């Protein structure tokens, strides 16, 4: 019954766009706390990769990376668009590269998320056009404490924000005109990893004036009305300075590295919010800002301050409500910790940059199935051609309709195991699942991880996608009769257009996980379970005796 329901849902998910009456622009929808990216009026799981920075430096070069991209089987490419190429002379726009990339992507059947390298890329303003770079009097730079000019456009300049917003608006107007019907472009990242060196602030005259001014009312009102739900670390910092709702930045947050970070964050967010607003007035598709997160979690010296970090998430949400999400570039630290931090305050999880090695693939499953990620995207994706991400992404594309019709962390779970953590457990529905790296204590040679994605079908049946992992199910509550869970039957197969296609039944050696029956009995396990070496999908029905 439920299988039929999912088949129907999958079919709905795959209906051609031409069936839609008036198609809405790509957007993010939230239902019962679960955020979904909607493209061509259907939920869309962005199985993505970000190109290296200069891939779009010419159409010819861009063309040269498609053979590599084809091997990755991604459905979304994140690719930069640079202000200096889009507006080489003030007010004169050149969309040759934009149009070319869109037509290449359409030919390849891939969606695009453009990265607007406008005022800043990794803190600096290297992609600003020459007419901006050559006129620092009109387009002022950030000044350090000693009056040194840093190659970063100052956020405290109306000229800067107007110029960037004007170019971005023209770009979005153009994208709308060429793409609103087709929806090849599904999201925009606005700027890239903004901020200034850890714990410092801009010391230009305009910045000093802003620092001495009262904290704007929109932020003090926000602090007052959101006090209970503020990010705990941010709230604690504000309360340490007396939880004031009026006064200067130094009075509210201290003349401290954190105070500087909050001050710079507000002004970066205002600036980027204005750029986003200008773009959305032309074409409102999902837009996000990404953050460099430090090598050490929350060590202020280790990341550019002012960017959309969890500590200042409230500041960003207050000052730039036009943004659909703030997003982590996750190269370091506790991956799931970052996912949790970036799903606070209802923030949809989009991971524009991360790693795509074998460990990264397990993390992709965790991101989608545990944390409801809308997009997972390793950086420098063309460099991964020939690696396991290719077949992994092909599998994920098959699984996408099933992922999209389940609730992350509830009716869908993921787990990663490896030599450091060979045993993990999780719960799904009424079941407890023992997950082991490899098979019966034999860890795979030369492999670094195992992973599984568990998708609930009925109460007692599951689709499981796994690699280098074995799983045994038992009841969370065995009841008075000490019920044991066995495998009723198990099939190996694949998913086509969201529908399960069994290939063979595997009820023999392939489900023998543990011959220590007496010990297994004590845990409510039968000794039967699922085993995965090479990646694959199995459908299992469980029963009790
Ligand atoms: C993070 C930046 O956002 C990217 O543009 C790129 O520079 C990578 N770092 C390189 O690792």
């Amino acid at each position: 019954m439920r299988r039929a329901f999912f088949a129907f849902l999958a079919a709905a998910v795959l209906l051609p766009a031409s069936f839609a009456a008036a198609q809405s622009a790509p957007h993010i929808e939230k239902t019962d706390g679960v955020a979904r990216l909607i493209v061509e009026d259907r939920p869309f799981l962005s199985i993505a990769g970000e190109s290296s920075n200069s891939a779009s430096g010419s159409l010819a070069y861009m063309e040269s990376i498609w053979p590599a991209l084809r091997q990755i089987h991604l459905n979304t490419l994140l690719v930069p668009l640079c202000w200096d190429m889009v507006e080489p002379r003030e007010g004169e726009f050149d969309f040759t590269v934009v149009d070319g990339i869109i037509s290449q992507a359409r030919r390849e059947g891939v969606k695009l998320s453009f990265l607007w390298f406008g005022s800043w890329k990794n803190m600096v303003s290297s992609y600003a056009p020459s007419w901006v770079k050559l006129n620092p009097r009109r387009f002022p730079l950030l000044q350090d404490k000693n009056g040194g000019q840093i190659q970063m456009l100052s956020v405290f300049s109306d000229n800067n924000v107007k110029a960037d917003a004007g170019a971005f608006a023209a770009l979005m107007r153009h994208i709308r005109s060429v793409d609103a019907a087709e929806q090849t472009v599904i999201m925009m990242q606005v700027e890239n990893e903004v901020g200034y060196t850890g714990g410092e602030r801009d010391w230009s005259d305009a910045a000093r004036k802003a620092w001495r001014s009262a904290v704007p009312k929109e932020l003090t009102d926000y602090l007052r009305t959101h006090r209970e739900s503020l990010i705990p670390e941010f709230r604690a910092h504000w309360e340490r300075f007396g939880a004031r709702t009026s006064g200067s930045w130094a009075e509210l947050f201290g003349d401290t590295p954190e105070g500087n970070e909050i001050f710079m964050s507000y002004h970066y967010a205002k600036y980027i919010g204005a750029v986003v607003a200008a773009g959305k007035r032309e074409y409102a598709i999902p837009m996000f800002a990404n953050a460099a997160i430090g090598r050490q979690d929350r060590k202020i010296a280790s990341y550019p301050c002012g960017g959309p970090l969890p500590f200042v998430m409230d500041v960003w949400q207050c000052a730039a409500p036009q943004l659909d999400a703030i997003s982590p570039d996750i190269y370091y630290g506790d991956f799931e910790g970052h996912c949790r931090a970036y799903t606070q305050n209802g923030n949809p999880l989009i991971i524009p940059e991360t790693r795509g090695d074998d460990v990264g693939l397990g993390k992709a499953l965790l991101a989608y199935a545990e944390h409801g990620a809308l997009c997972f995207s390793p950086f420098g994706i063309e460099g991964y051609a020939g690696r396991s991400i290719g077949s992994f992404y092909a599998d994920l594309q098959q699984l996408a309709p099933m992922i999209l019709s389940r609730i992350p962390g509830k009716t869908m779970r993921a787990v990663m195991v490896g030599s450091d953590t060979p045993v993990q457990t999780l719960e799904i529905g009424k079941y407890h699942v023992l997950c082991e790296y490899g098979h019966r204590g034999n860890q795979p040679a030369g492999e670094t991880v195992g992973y599984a994605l568990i998708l609930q079908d009925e109460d007692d049946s599951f689709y499981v996608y796994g690699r280098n992992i074995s799983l045994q199910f038992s009841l969370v509550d065995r009841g008075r009769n000490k019920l044991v869970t066995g495998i009723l039957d198990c099939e190996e197969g694949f998913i086509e257009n969201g529908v399960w296609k069994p290939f063979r039944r595997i009820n023999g050696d392939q489900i023998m996980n543990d011959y220590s029956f007496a010990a297994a009995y004590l845990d409510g396990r039968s000794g039967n379970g699922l085993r995965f070496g090479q990646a694959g999908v199995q459908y299992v029905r469980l029963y009790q005796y």
Side-chain angles (χ1 to χ4, degrees):
M1 166 70 183
R2 191 163 321 171
R3 270 212 226 189
F5 170 71
F6 284 126
F8 161 78
L9 222 160
V13 160
L14 295 162
L15 273 179
S18 49
F19 278 79
Q23 186 173 262
S24 53
H27 60 282
I28 293 174
E29 224 167 71
K30 284 186 197 158
T31 315
D32 298 331
V34 179
R36 297 261 185 253
L37 180 59
I38 307 293
V39 178
E40 297 171 77
D41 286 335
R42 294 162 290 185
F44 183 81
L45 190 71
S46 178
I47 302 166
E50 179 169 323
S51 76
S52 55
N53 291 165
S54 302
S56 54
S58 79
L59 275 179
Y61 186 87
M62 193 61 212
E63 192 64 82
S64 76
I65 71 167
W66 282 107
L69 296 178
R70 258 171 236 142
Q71 295 180 42
I72 311 287
H73 299 290
L74 42 70
N75 67 12
T76 313
L77 178 69
L78 279 66
V79 60
L81 287 181
C82 311
W83 186 9
D84 55 352
M85 288 177 73
V86 165
E87 193 183 6
R89 280 164 299 280
E90 190 169 3
E92 283 179 33
F93 294 95
D94 181 347
F95 298 116
T96 313
V97 166
V98 182
D99 293 343
I101 297 175
I102 292 176
S103 81
Q104 289 177 3
R106 284 182 186 162
R107 181 194 69 206
E108 302 292 331
V110 166
K111 300 288 184 191
L112 293 169
S113 176
F114 282 127
L115 318 173
W116 173 239
F117 285 3
S119 292
W120 306 283
K121 190 282 183 205
N122 292 42
M123 300 196 270
V124 298
S125 302
S126 49
Y127 285 100
S130 54
W131 54 271
V132 171
K133 280 182 177 161
L134 292 170
N135 197 347
R137 285 179 76 84
R138 184 172 158 213
F139 300 108
L141 300 176
L142 179 148
Q143 275 182 31
D144 72 11
K145 210 170 188 168
N146 307 312
Q149 305 273 312
I150 311 297
Q151 194 212 353
M152 298 169 59
L153 288 168
S154 172
V155 284
F156 299 93
S157 157
D158 284 347
N159 284 353
N160 292 354
V161 68
K162 269 188 202 145
D164 189 335
F168 188 63
L171 172 65
M172 294 313 297
R173 193 179 315 131
H174 181 77
I175 292 176
R176 182 190 182 111
S177 73
V178 297
D179 194 53
E182 198 115 350
Q183 301 198 357
T184 301
V185 183
I186 59 171
M187 290 191 287
M188 300 295 293
Q189 178 189 295
V190 184
E191 317 296 345
N192 187 75
E193 292 195 350
V194 304
Y196 183 44
T197 320
E200 300 284 345
R201 62 176 194 262
D202 187 347
W203 287 80
S204 60
D205 287 346
R208 285 173 197 246
K209 190 169 164 223
W211 174 257
R212 286 192 305 267
S213 314
V215 173
K217 189 169 171 332
E218 70 171 347
L219 184 55
T220 54
D221 283 352
Y222 182 100
L223 292 170
R224 208 168 21 77
T225 52
H226 291 75
R227 182 166 183 164
E228 294 314 315
S229 64
L230 291 176
I231 300 294
E233 213 187 348
F234 173 65
R235 177 177 166 176
H237 182 82
W238 173 53
E239 290 180 344
R240 200 168 310 133
F241 288 86
R244 297 175 58 142
T245 51
S246 66
S248 68
W249 292 91
E251 285 167 337
L252 261 74
F253 305 111
D255 192 350
T256 59
E258 286 82 3
N260 288 343
E261 184 179 4
I262 294 165
F263 169 71
M264 292 300 284
S265 296
Y266 177 81
H267 290 286
Y268 270 111
K270 279 311 275 185
Y271 187 118
I272 291 175
V275 174
V276 169
K280 282 198 170 179
R281 273 194 290 276
E282 302 298 336
Y283 188 32
I285 61 175
M287 299 194 188
F288 60 93
N290 66 329
I293 46 186
R295 279 172 192 269
Q296 298 149 291
D297 296 356
R298 195 64 213 136
K299 277 275 186 308
I300 210 160
S302 77
Y303 58 88
C305 285
L309 272 290
F311 175 64
V312 285
M313 179 181 263
D314 287 295
V315 179
W316 273 79
Q317 289 181 327
C318 164
Q322 306 86 347
L323 279 169
D324 296 273
I326 62 170
S327 302
D329 290 348
I330 314 181
Y331 291 97
Y332 314 108
D334 169 10
F335 181 85
E336 287 209 84
H338 293 312
C339 291
R340 277 189 287 275
Y342 275 89
T343 44
Q344 296 177 102
N345 285 2
N347 186 57
L349 183 61
I350 294 168
I351 303 174
E353 290 183 44
T354 186
R355 297 180 201 280
D357 53 14
D358 278 8
V359 179
L361 308 186
K363 289 176 179 173
L365 294 184
L366 294 171
Y368 290 125
E370 294 289 309
H371 304 283
L374 277 51
C375 170
F376 178 91
S377 165
F379 176 78
I381 193 67
E382 65 270 36
Y384 285 99
R387 303 197 34 196
S388 20
I389 192 169
S391 56
F392 174 80
Y393 266 16
D395 293 342
L396 267 190
Q397 294 230 36
Q398 285 189 17
L399 289 157
M402 287 197 171
I403 293 173
L404 288 167
S405 54
R406 283 169 175 78
I407 302 168
K410 291 206 170 103
T411 55
M412 136 174 97
R413 303 290 320 260
V415 67
M416 182 157 81
V417 286
S419 34
D420 295 345
T421 46
V423 180
Q424 300 270 24
T425 59
L426 60 82
E427 287 179 11
I428 182 161
K430 61 188 188 191
Y431 288 99
H432 175 90
V433 192
L434 172 67
C435 313
E436 293 173 287
Y437 184 39
H439 169 54
R440 290 169 58 203
N442 297 321
Q443 298 187 357
E447 287 283 352
T448 50
V449 286
Y451 42 75
L453 168 69
I454 308 177
L455 303 155
Q456 182 148 25
D457 179 30
E458 310 253 9
D459 285 352
D460 298 299
S461 54
F462 300 89
Y463 299 96
V464 183
Y465 173 66
R467 178 184 175 203
N468 295 331
I469 197 166
S470 44
L471 310 173
Q472 293 179 64
F473 292 80
S474 57
L475 284 177
V476 172
D477 178 7
R478 297 175 66 191
R480 241 186 271 140
N481 297 331
K482 292 275 173 232
L483 292 172
V484 177
T485 297
I487 290 187
L488 194 57
D489 44 47
C490 183
E491 294 165 346
E492 194 173 61
F494 53 94
I495 292 154
E496 204 176 72
N497 298 334
V499 179
W500 175 241
K501 302 277 176 185
F503 176 62
R504 65 167 176 162
R505 188 165 278 235
I506 48 170
N507 279 359
D509 286 349
Q510 291 72 23
I511 58 162
M512 280 313 308
N513 276 34
D514 190 351
Y515 284 97
S516 317
F517 299 119
Y521 170 80
L522 295 176
D523 294 344
R525 295 179 283 115
S526 60
N528 280 164
L530 307 188
R531 290 166 43 182
F532 297 88
Q534 302 273 345
V537 190
Q538 297 180 14
Y539 178 70
V540 63
R541 295 196 303 155
L542 306 169
Y543 77 112
Q544 277 76 41
Y545 56 88

